[in-house]
Amino acid sequence: MADAEFAQRHIGPNDDEQAAMLAEIGYDSLDTLIDAAVPGAIHDREALALDAPVSERDALARMRRLAARNEVFTSLLGLGYHDTITPPVIQRNVLENPAWYTAYTPYQPEISQGRLEALINFQTMVSDLTGMELANASLLDEGTAAAEAMTMLHRLNGAGGKDVFLVDGDCHPQTIDVVRTRAEPLGIHVVVGDPYGDSTVDGCFGVLVQYPGSSGRLRDARPVIERAHANGALVCVAADLLALTLVVPPGEMDADVVVGTSQRFGVPLGFGGPHAAYIATRNEYRRTLPGRLVGVSVDAKGRTAFRLALQTREQHIRREKATSNICTAQVLLAVIAGLYGTYHGAEGLRAIAQRVHGLAARLASTLRAGGIEVVHDAFFDTCTVRVPGRAAEIAAAARTRRINLREVDADTLGIALDETTTEAIIRDVADAFGVGAIDAAAADAIPRELRRASAYMTHPAFTSHRSEHQMLRYLRRLADRDLALDRTMIPLGSCTMKLNATAEMEPITWPEWARMHPFAPVEQCAGYLQLFADLERWLAEITGYDAVSLQPNAGSQGEYAGLLAIRKYHESQGRAGRDVCLIPASAHGTNAASAAMAGMRVVVVACDDQGNVDLDDLKHKAVEHADRLGALMVTYPSTH
């Protein structure tokens, strides 16, 4: 009865209600309705080879057993991911609250005022910290944010055949990989090197710099930006938001775009996701921003109201000419990060940053005193150390103390501290290196010329909610300005329309799932790996495919990944010229945008008013483009 129990609790209509609805539309059973609705040629009547259903209680017990197989070490691995402390008032009243996690994408501002206010807090926080004029309502992750910035800069500055994008070799490796992947189908040439060097790159339209670098190295980006501008290139800086509370922001260095992640602002690691990336830019470039921008309006009665001020959603407007398939924001995660900033305020964030930096400086000083080479003198929270031939040995010694260090190579280790780092942790790290007592005080490792002097987060939103009771009331007030599925059904249909069962949401805050770093050693992640293997197996059975990837972090990115796979398949068969993608006019706008981003030429197939594909037109277009036909992309069911 486990499956029946879940269905009764979560599907809704009981047997009598189902019978009444079926009678109203002229059917005597769900089977006859399905027979009428699903064409026989595609109606699969075979039972799926899936595990037997279990009750919610049993499912949670299984999740507990899987969680116990994850070993949560203290991960000082960095690479853009840091352990963090989610304030309990935010965890309990936002992350675990269906008023927030069941809310629909805020297309309708009149029922989304609470979330829109929380998102404009996020935008304001990001804009202030980066020193830029405006920021959008979030993107998917730092790697894709950097790729979006690349295509944005190319759109702004790619005229005249400029097609080279120079990427700082000290960017996070996953960012470099994503940028390369996104660049290749668009004919953009990525050059990974040292933008701080004197050489220039011909045909360079843009530069990406990591600040501080993935190695922890903190360098003044102003000379890079000045030289790039003098050579006709625009500059994107990938910046750590917590570091920006202490160091000169990229906006004050004349950067054109700033990207990064807000994960360390209260969003659990969760083995790498989800979390909210950010992108900020100059006001003059606002109409090239991907995603959404929340703005403030005044209604006819003079009352303040929030709305989506810029929702170009170019994948719908420009379709096959689009440069981005981003159609949403990581709203819940951006809300959490923005509220983290709201709760702590400028002084709270600065205190967290100073404490993290102070511990890193003391650890570096201790290691130097013990004869260990710390590679960079200037850093924020991450030290790179050189230990010729001993990296694996020291990393293993740290793991015996349940601490993960980053093994860069056989001679080099990285150590990235975070908000959760304690005095005991840095003592254990020093012990793993075999050095003495921790230096009681150490010099600041941020150069004087890079210390931030400008104010930030001065808006009352960041100064008015210091006590938990004030914050609790603020969160309740925001939630009361929204309609979510905890209050009512929302009359909009989309792939984002869902209500997760509470039992499905409960495990996400268990520390065994929440505190796992995505680059933790694989032997520490057995629970996650089993969970993934089971889900892949189930999805393969349901979809009929041989294998399933869980990597795409949005439907639009799944489309894109699939089209890249098709592109690579044709290339592997010596048919690189097959670049035409047939897409029905009724398809979701991201479909055409994804195809364009994958380097395909979109040919639109006609549809009727109900969204049904005109089969005669489909045949005609397939024959017309037979020599170059690479893919047919169908939204199933259509957006109509």
Side-chain angles (χ1 to χ4, degrees), residues 230-243:
N231 286 283
L234 300 177
V235 179
C236 172
V237 176
D240 184 303
L241 283 182
L242 190 63

Side-chain angles (χ1 to χ4, degrees), residues 25-104:
I25 58 177
Y27 294 94
D28 59 7
S29 70
L30 287 174
D31 287 339
T32 55
L33 172 61
I34 291 171
D35 287 339
V38 179
I42 63 170
H43 191 171
D44 187 358
R45 300 176 186 276
E46 295 294 322
L48 295 172
L50 297 175
D51 300 344
V54 298
S55 68
E56 289 184 345
R57 180 184 177 86
D58 289 339
L60 284 172
R62 183 169 187 270
M63 287 297 289
R64 286 287 187 193
R65 292 193 295 273
L66 285 176
R69 297 179 63 189
N70 290 328
E71 291 192 82
V72 182
F73 283 26
T74 296
S75 286
L76 308 181
L77 299 166
L79 296 175
Y81 296 93
H82 302 269
D83 205 354
T84 182
I85 299 171
T86 308
V89 67
I90 295 175
Q91 176 171 315
R92 184 176 179 85
N93 296 288
V94 179
L95 181 55
E96 297 174 348
N97 184 346
W100 291 94
Y101 72 68
T102 72
Y104 186 76

Side-chain angles (χ1 to χ4, degrees), residues 326-584:
I326 296 291
C327 63
T328 189
Q330 290 276 43
V331 175
L332 178 63
L333 296 314
V335 164
I336 290 170
L339 290 171
Y340 178 95
T342 299
Y343 193 45
H344 287 295
E347 66 277 13
L349 294 180
R350 188 182 299 111
I352 293 169
Q354 287 172 333
R355 179 181 170 278
V356 172
H357 176 67
L359 288 172
R362 291 172 58 203
L363 177 61
S365 178
T366 300
L367 294 177
R368 285 194 183 102
I372 305 296
E373 179 187 356
V374 178
V375 177
H376 307 305
D377 292 329
F379 53 84
F380 165 58
D381 64 359
T382 300
C383 302
T384 294
V385 298
R386 189 168 288 121
V387 284
R390 298 181 58 216
E393 168 200 335
I394 293 170
R399 284 194 295 275
T400 66
R401 296 160 172 83
R402 300 187 66 81
I403 294 173
N404 293 322
L405 305 181
R406 180 189 175 200
E407 294 182 58
V408 179
D409 56 39
D411 306 317
T412 315
L413 290 167
I415 311 165
L417 306 190
D418 58 53
E419 180 185 11
T420 69
T421 303
T422 64
E423 190 88 19
I425 288 171
I426 64 170
R427 276 202 304 272
D428 283 344
V429 171
D431 286 345
F433 280 87
V435 302
I438 296 297
D439 193 344
D444 196 323
I446 297 175
R448 184 176 301 277
E449 65 274 14
L450 285 180
R451 295 177 190 170
R452 181 165 191 161
S454 56
Y456 50 87
M457 296 172 62
T458 59
H459 189 278
F462 304 112
T463 61
S464 304
H465 312 293
R466 284 295 167 275
S467 75
E468 181 172 308
H469 282 134
Q470 289 171 322
M471 190 67 178
L472 188 64
R473 292 164 188 151
Y474 181 56
L475 296 177
R476 177 59 183 266
R477 187 162 70 251
L478 293 182
D480 285 347
R481 294 174 179 171
D482 265 27
L483 283 183
L485 290 174
D486 65 324
R487 297 173 188 260
T488 182
M489 182 55 67
I490 302 168
L492 286 171
S494 171
C495 55
T496 58
M497 194 69 199
K498 50 189 167 287
L499 175 57
N500 290 319
T502 304
E504 295 166 340
M505 296 296 292
E506 186 176 337
I508 67 171
T509 54
W510 296 353
E512 297 90 343
W513 302 111
R515 295 193 60 212
M516 182 67 70
H517 193 287
F519 298 117
V522 68
E523 61 270 16
Q524 297 172 16
C525 312
Y528 260 116
L529 297 181
Q530 184 63 56
L531 186 71
F532 294 162
D534 289 345
L535 183 55
E536 288 171 357
R537 176 170 54 86
W538 297 333
L539 290 175
E541 173 65 18
I542 291 168
T543 61
Y545 282 100
D546 295 320
V548 172
S549 170
L550 305 178
Q551 186 63 27
N553 54 3
S556 58
Q557 306 310 300
E559 296 169 8
Y560 178 66
L563 289 164
L564 285 185
I566 290 172
R567 174 187 169 91
K568 290 296 183 183
Y569 171 76
H570 286 312
E571 289 178 357
S572 74
Q573 301 299 304
R575 301 195 298 257
R578 288 195 170 273
D579 61 353
V580 169
C581 183
L582 301 182
I583 299 181

Side-chain angles (χ1 to χ4, degrees), residues 173-216:
Q174 69 272 18
T175 295
I176 296 174
D177 286 346
V178 171
V179 166
R180 280 177 164 154
T181 298
R182 290 277 289 268
E184 189 269 334
L186 301 176
I188 294 173
H189 300 286
V190 173
V191 175
V192 179
D194 180 11
Y196 292 86
D198 293 331
S199 61
T200 58
V201 179
D202 292 336
C204 182
F205 68 85
V207 179
L208 174 64
V209 176
Q210 191 89 42
Y211 177 72
S214 192
S215 67

Side-chain angles (χ1 to χ4, degrees), residues 126-211:
V126 169
S127 179
D128 282 4
L129 290 175
T130 59
M132 302 302 287
E133 291 175 310
L134 78 162
N136 85 349
S138 79
L139 292 176
L140 299 173
D141 57 51
E142 183 166 341
T144 53
E148 291 287 340
M150 173 184 69
T151 54
M152 177 180 165
L153 295 183
H154 191 248
R155 189 167 167 179
L156 287 166
N157 196 40
K162 292 198 288 188
D163 62 0
V164 174
F165 191 56
L166 177 59
V167 177
D168 185 356
D170 204 11
C171 283
H172 298 316
Q174 69 272 18
T175 295
I176 296 174
D177 286 346
V178 171
V179 166
R180 280 177 164 154
T181 298
R182 290 277 289 268
E184 189 269 334
L186 301 176
I188 294 173
H189 300 286
V190 173
V191 175
V192 179
D194 180 11
Y196 292 86
D198 293 331
S199 61
T200 58
V201 179
D202 292 336
C204 182
F205 68 85
V207 179
L208 174 64
V209 176
Q210 191 89 42
Y211 177 72

Side-chain angles (χ1 to χ4, degrees), residues 247-333:
V247 303
V248 175
E252 294 178 17
M253 296 178 171
D254 206 25
D256 300 289
V257 179
V258 187
V259 298
T261 174
S262 62
Q263 179 270 313
R264 70 187 310 173
F265 277 24
V267 179
L269 282 164
F271 206 35
H275 55 267
Y278 71 84
I279 185 168
T281 191
R282 304 172 187 269
N283 190 53
E284 63 187 286
Y285 300 151
R286 64 188 180 278
R287 294 200 172 274
T288 63
L289 264 180
R292 296 181 180 156
L293 184 70
V294 179
V296 183
S297 291
V298 178
D299 69 11
K301 296 184 179 180
R303 297 174 298 191
T304 297
F306 303 97
R307 90 283 188 203
L308 291 173
L310 180 64
Q311 189 187 204
T312 55
R313 300 199 67 191
E314 63 169 23
Q315 74 279 3
H316 291 297
I317 297 168
R318 304 181 73 245
R319 296 180 71 87
E320 64 271 16
K321 296 181 180 178
T323 59
S324 171
N325 63 359
I326 296 291
C327 63
T328 189
Q330 290 276 43
V331 175
L332 178 63
L333 296 314

